[in-house]
């Protein structure tokens, strides 16, 4: 009830990530009551229901709904391949029809899935509509419905909600969700950091390969966000080689982190002197925060000539 009266889909998503702010009569500082237990996924209740009826402007019957602690998070629509016109596209359109009939449901649901016999796609959902479709690939590289089932394993579903779904202007649904390569890259970054902190690894560096158009900037934003909250305001540098990338990253960070409790501030380092000041701070331990640096390269004498 508190969430329902607290605003729109962005406020609901913020409550999922950080909890519901509560106040006592004597205290003005909010205390956050978590809706999901992110530390011990086994303490949550995961329920899969079929043929679930919801009523709003109209009445719908969703094929499959995934509930987390009683909250409908994922709405899945499939098509019988024996029926005429039973295509993946038709399943996606059907989810859009559901949104039009019961928009209030999609204030709480975060992900939609459309599938047929051969393929399955996932996308963000909100009262504004269904987002861009993506294909999830399992650890073995397989796609399709089996891969989506792996995507919604309990721990992974919790990670997606907390670290990989964010409000984002310009998207069809007003949200962005990680693609499979972004999720797996960020998970590997966090794993290496955690193992080094625990003394289980001496790894100091790593290389992640992305192809053009695969969302490198968002991968960096997702990773920085998780590490920032995991480590409690560490020192994180984004080192870029083009001014356009610097501007793009600043925009992406604004969209990913947004407002509210998750708001994170960053600083652009504009000179070598400024970078040295950051690195030398606190007796060479470095100033805490997130910094965007632009790497300039001087042309060779031959290039100048």
């Amino acid at each position: 009830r508190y969430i329902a009266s607290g605003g729109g889909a962005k406020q609901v998503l913020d409550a999922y990530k950080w909890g519901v702010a509560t106040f006592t009569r004597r205290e003005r500082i909010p205390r956050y009551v978590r809706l999901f237990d992110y530390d011990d996924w086994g303490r949550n209740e995961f329920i899969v229901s079929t043929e679930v009826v919801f009523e709003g402007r109209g009445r719908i019957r969703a094929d499959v709904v995934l509930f987390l602690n009683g909250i409908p998070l994922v709405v899945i629509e499939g098509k019988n391949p024996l029926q005429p016109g039973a295509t993946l596209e038709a399943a996606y359109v059907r989810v859009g029809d559901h949104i039009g009939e019961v928009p209030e449901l999609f204030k709480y649901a975060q992900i939609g899935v459309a599938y047929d016999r051969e393929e399955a796609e996932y996308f963000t959902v909100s009262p504004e509509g269904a987002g861009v479709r993506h294909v999830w690939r399992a650890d073995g590289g397989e796609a399709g419905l089996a891969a989506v089932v792996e995507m919604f394993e309990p721990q992974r579903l919790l990670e997606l909600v907390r670290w990989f779904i964010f409000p984002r202007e310009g998207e069809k649904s007003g949200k962005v969700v990680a693609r499979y390569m972004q999720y797996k890259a960020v998970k590997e970054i966090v794993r290496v950091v955690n193992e080094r902190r625990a003394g289980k690894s001496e790894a100091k560096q790593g290389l992640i390969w992305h192809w053009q158009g695969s969302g490198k900037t968002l991968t960096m934003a997702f990773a920085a966000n998780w590490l920032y909250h995991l480590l409690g305001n560490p020192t994180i540098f984004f080192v870029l080689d083009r001014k356009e990338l610097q501007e793009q990253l600043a925009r992406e960070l604004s969209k990913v982190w947004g407002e509210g409790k998750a708001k994170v501030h960053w600083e652009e380092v504009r000179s070598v002197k400024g970078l040295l000041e950051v690195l030398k701070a606190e007796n060479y331990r470095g100033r805490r925060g997130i910094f965007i640096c632009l790497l300039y390269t001087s042309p060779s004498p031959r290039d100048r000539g």
Side-chain angles (χ1 to χ4, degrees):
R1 184 179 301 173
Y2 180 91
I3 300 177
S5 63
K10 291 183 179 180
Q11 288 75 18
V12 170
L13 182 55
D14 194 60
Y16 288 172
K17 293 176 181 292
W18 311 111
V20 176
T22 61
F23 297 85
T24 65
R25 293 182 179 180
R26 296 182 180 181
E27 297 177 342
R28 294 184 178 180
I29 300 176
R31 296 185 180 186
Y32 287 85
V33 178
R34 285 191 175 183
L35 302 174
F36 311 136
D37 191 330
Y38 291 108
D39 300 319
D40 183 357
W41 66 263
R43 297 180 62 186
N44 299 285
E45 183 179 57
F46 298 85
I47 295 177
V48 179
S49 297
T50 60
E51 300 296 321
V52 184
V53 174
F54 296 96
E55 294 186 356
R57 297 173 183 168
R59 188 174 186 272
I60 67 170
R61 185 184 300 273
D63 283 353
V64 181
V65 179
L66 275 58
F67 292 88
L68 176 53
N69 295 346
I71 298 174
L73 278 187
V74 182
V75 177
I76 301 173
E77 182 71 22
K79 286 298 178 183
N80 185 344
L82 299 179
Q83 295 178 347
T87 62
L88 186 70
E89 180 69 25
Y92 176 74
V93 170
R94 185 60 176 163
V95 175
D97 293 339
H98 288 339
I99 294 173
E101 292 290 334
V102 189
E104 188 71 10
L105 166 63
F106 295 90
K107 184 176 174 179
Y108 306 99
Q110 301 299 311
I111 299 176
V113 175
Y115 74 92
D116 59 15
R117 174 181 289 181
E118 302 294 335
E119 300 177 283
E121 295 175 332
Y122 70 99
F123 41 89
T124 54
V125 290
S126 75
E128 285 70 44
V132 176
R133 294 176 283 178
H134 304 296
V135 175
W136 188 271
R137 291 193 178 276
D139 291 337
E142 302 87 356
L145 189 57
V148 172
V149 171
E150 178 189 281
M151 175 185 178
F152 295 134
E153 290 177 351
Q155 183 176 347
R156 186 174 286 113
L157 177 58
L158 287 166
E159 289 171 344
L160 288 170
V161 171
R162 192 176 192 188
W163 303 121
F164 294 99
I165 302 176
F166 287 92
R168 190 172 186 229
E169 295 180 5
E171 295 290 332
K172 292 174 64 177
S173 67
K175 299 176 189 174
V176 61
V177 62
R179 298 161 69 184
Y180 75 94
M181 61 282 195
Q182 294 168 330
Y183 168 82
K184 293 180 180 181
V186 173
K187 281 278 289 184
E188 187 66 11
I189 292 170
V190 173
R191 182 191 66 80
V192 171
V193 170
N194 277 331
E195 288 186 356
R196 182 166 177 82
R197 292 174 68 210
K200 298 179 180 179
S201 171
E202 295 297 323
K204 295 182 179 180
Q205 60 190 8
L207 176 65
I208 293 174
W209 180 84
H210 273 19
W211 58 91
Q212 184 175 4
S214 58
K216 296 180 289 294
T217 305
L218 270 176
T219 297
M220 291 191 289
F222 289 139
N225 179 63
W226 192 338
L227 292 175
Y228 179 87
H229 291 94
L230 173 69
L231 303 177
N233 192 24
T235 301
I236 298 175
F237 286 98
F238 291 95
V239 182
L240 309 172
D241 62 357
R242 295 201 308 276
K243 182 67 176 177
E244 310 88 77
L245 288 177
Q246 187 179 27
E247 296 170 352
Q248 179 185 353
L249 179 61
R251 290 195 303 270
E252 295 291 3
L253 294 180
S254 296
K255 294 171 183 176
V256 167
W257 283 324
E259 302 295 335
K261 189 174 185 296
K263 179 64 176 178
V264 176
H265 298 279
W266 64 90
E267 177 182 338
E268 293 185 17
V269 180
R270 298 180 177 274
S271 65
V272 173
K273 180 181 178 181
L275 178 59
L276 290 174
E277 290 175 354
V278 173
L279 295 173
K280 292 179 179 180
E282 300 184 23
N283 195 25
Y284 285 87
R285 289 193 298 269
R287 194 162 79 238
R288 301 296 182 180
I290 296 175
F291 304 93
I292 301 177
C293 306
L294 187 61
L295 181 66
Y296 289 96
T297 57
S298 300
S300 66
R302 184 175 59 184
D303 292 335
R304 292 195 197 101

